[in-house]
Amino acid sequence: MTSTTPSHTSAEIASQPACWRRAAESLPRYAPALPRRGERVAVTGCGTSWFMAQAYAALRESGGHGVTDAFAASEFPPGRGYDRILAISRSGTTTEVLDLLDRARAAGVPTSAITADPATPVMAVADTVAVLHFADERSVVQTRFATTVLALLRAHLEAEGALPDGVRPLARAVQDAERAVAAPLAAEVRGAEQFTFLGRGWTYGLALEAGLKMREAAGAWTEAYPAMEYRHGPISITAPGRVAWAFGPLPAGLTEDITRVGGLLVAESGDATADLDPLADLVRAQRLAVAVAEARGFDPDRPRHLTRSVVLRDHPA
């Protein structure tokens, strides 16, 4: 029987507009841990944090703030030169992230981290740390911490005049997120058999994260691709009862392609004035993950086979 008490995950999803606003208001406090204009930066993390790193890397580089690459912490290329490594880690305990920061320190590369907990090992291994304690979560599944990190980084780019063309000011994204928290989710979307998430540029990271949320919380069959790659094979999975969900504007002709094969298109974060900011649209995808999980009898606060952090061994203090 499904509980009538909202999950921690649902409450954390609903709190995101306030968290984003607080992150932007606190930007001067966190700025010392953020990349400087012109630095060659590598952004890293694991799971959700990696996808936020990908979104930020695309935003920063396309906005002219500096060369920016994103890597899963376990896949960081040894020997490649950067002016700064920025690690994203909610728990501050993830083994791969701590190992990478240790290696960077030994090599003399400046490091920064963004975390939610000031009492974790990342505080000792990163040169500078931004602690978003107000965005920490009780849930295993990440929602508000990840989006608040991206909101902070986006606010920083905006303050530095490096927000790419077409990306809305964060204040508008907050307003859109307030709408996204309350907007109903269509029954045919909640009941779909399969979900393919699409994005371009910075929104591809959001598409990857939406797919991960659905898999983590609901055990759903999801995929994610760059929107222009959709025609190169992935469209073959689309059919009646299956969803193609786009973050940001769709490439020309893709709407017709999805309709032709019977797929259900969800595209509410495009160019129209009434459309949601893509980051706010991710809030809707998070809500969908919870709704599908609960409909299938799963507890979104306790996803199968997952823990809050992957710790392979104790890290020295």
Side-chain angles (χ1 to χ4, degrees), residues 138-153:
R138 296 181 65 178
S139 301
V140 170
V141 170
Q142 282 198 54
T143 54
R144 73 180 180 190
F145 173 74
T147 62
T148 301
V149 169
L150 189 55
L152 174 68
L153 293 167

Side-chain angles (χ1 to χ4, degrees), residues 148-292:
T148 301
V149 169
L150 189 55
L152 174 68
L153 293 167
R154 186 167 153 180
H156 183 240
L157 293 176
E158 184 178 345
E160 301 240 317
L163 204 61
D165 291 342
V167 179
R168 297 170 178 177
L170 186 65
R172 170 64 188 277
V174 171
Q175 294 174 355
D176 289 351
E178 291 170 340
R179 288 196 288 137
V181 164
L185 298 168
E188 61 266 34
V189 176
R190 296 197 311 270
E193 173 194 21
Q194 186 272 341
F195 305 84
T196 299
F197 296 98
L198 306 172
R200 303 183 74 180
W202 75 280
T203 69
Y204 175 46
L206 305 185
L208 290 167
E209 170 58 10
L212 180 63
K213 281 289 101 42
M214 293 290 291
R215 291 191 293 275
E216 288 179 330
W221 174 16
T222 67
E223 303 181 13
Y225 301 96
M228 287 297 288
E229 286 296 310
Y230 182 64
R231 297 182 180 96
H232 296 274
I235 194 171
S236 64
I237 207 64
T238 304
R242 298 177 180 177
V243 167
W245 183 311
F247 290 94
L250 276 169
L254 201 56
T255 297
E256 293 76 14
D257 290 340
I258 293 168
T259 302
R260 175 175 51 81
V261 297
L264 175 61
L265 174 63
V266 178
E268 299 189 17
S269 55
D271 289 329
T273 301
D275 287 344
L276 295 171
D277 183 275
L279 189 58
D281 201 20
L282 180 60
V283 173
R284 295 177 64 247
Q286 294 169 342
R287 291 180 54 221
L288 176 64
V290 171
V292 173

Side-chain angles (χ1 to χ4, degrees), residues 11-26 134-135 144 147-148 151 170 173-175 177-178 181 283:
E12 288 157 1
I13 289 171
S15 72
Q16 288 175 105
C19 287
W20 300 359
R21 188 178 290 111
R22 183 168 177 179
E25 292 170 351
S26 304
F134 57 89
R144 73 180 180 190
T147 62
T148 301
L170 186 65
V174 171
Q175 294 174 355
E178 291 170 340
V181 164
V283 173

Side-chain angles (χ1 to χ4, degrees), residues 20-225:
W20 300 359
R21 188 178 290 111
R22 183 168 177 179
E25 292 170 351
S26 304
L27 178 60
R29 173 183 175 184
Y30 301 120
L34 305 182
R36 283 61 162 164
R37 180 181 290 275
E39 285 184 330
R40 182 180 175 90
V41 174
V43 195
T44 187
C46 298
T48 290
S49 295
W50 175 34
F51 299 146
M52 295 302 102
Q54 288 178 267
Y56 171 60
L59 279 172
R60 182 175 186 262
E61 186 157 321
S62 61
H65 202 256
V67 173
T68 319
D69 297 320
F71 301 99
S74 60
E75 297 298 316
F76 189 87
R80 186 172 297 183
Y82 290 100
D83 300 316
R84 179 179 304 274
I85 294 175
L86 172 62
I88 303 171
S89 176
R90 176 181 65 172
S91 69
T93 62
T94 305
T95 300
E96 298 100 301
V97 170
L98 298 178
D99 285 350
L100 174 56
L101 292 174
D102 275 337
R103 294 196 303 271
R105 170 172 285 183
V109 180
T111 60
S112 299
I114 305 177
T115 189
D117 188 347
T120 54
V122 76
M123 302 296 294
V125 295
D127 298 327
T128 53
V129 184
V131 181
L132 307 185
H133 59 90
F134 57 89
D136 203 355
E137 296 154 329
R138 296 181 65 178
S139 301
V140 170
V141 170
Q142 282 198 54
T143 54
R144 73 180 180 190
F145 173 74
T147 62
T148 301
V149 169
L150 189 55
L152 174 68
L153 293 167
R154 186 167 153 180
H156 183 240
L157 293 176
E158 184 178 345
E160 301 240 317
L163 204 61
D165 291 342
V167 179
R168 297 170 178 177
L170 186 65
R172 170 64 188 277
V174 171
Q175 294 174 355
D176 289 351
E178 291 170 340
R179 288 196 288 137
V181 164
L185 298 168
E188 61 266 34
V189 176
R190 296 197 311 270
E193 173 194 21
Q194 186 272 341
F195 305 84
T196 299
F197 296 98
L198 306 172
R200 303 183 74 180
W202 75 280
T203 69
Y204 175 46
L206 305 185
L208 290 167
E209 170 58 10
L212 180 63
K213 281 289 101 42
M214 293 290 291
R215 291 191 293 275
E216 288 179 330
W221 174 16
T222 67
E223 303 181 13
Y225 301 96

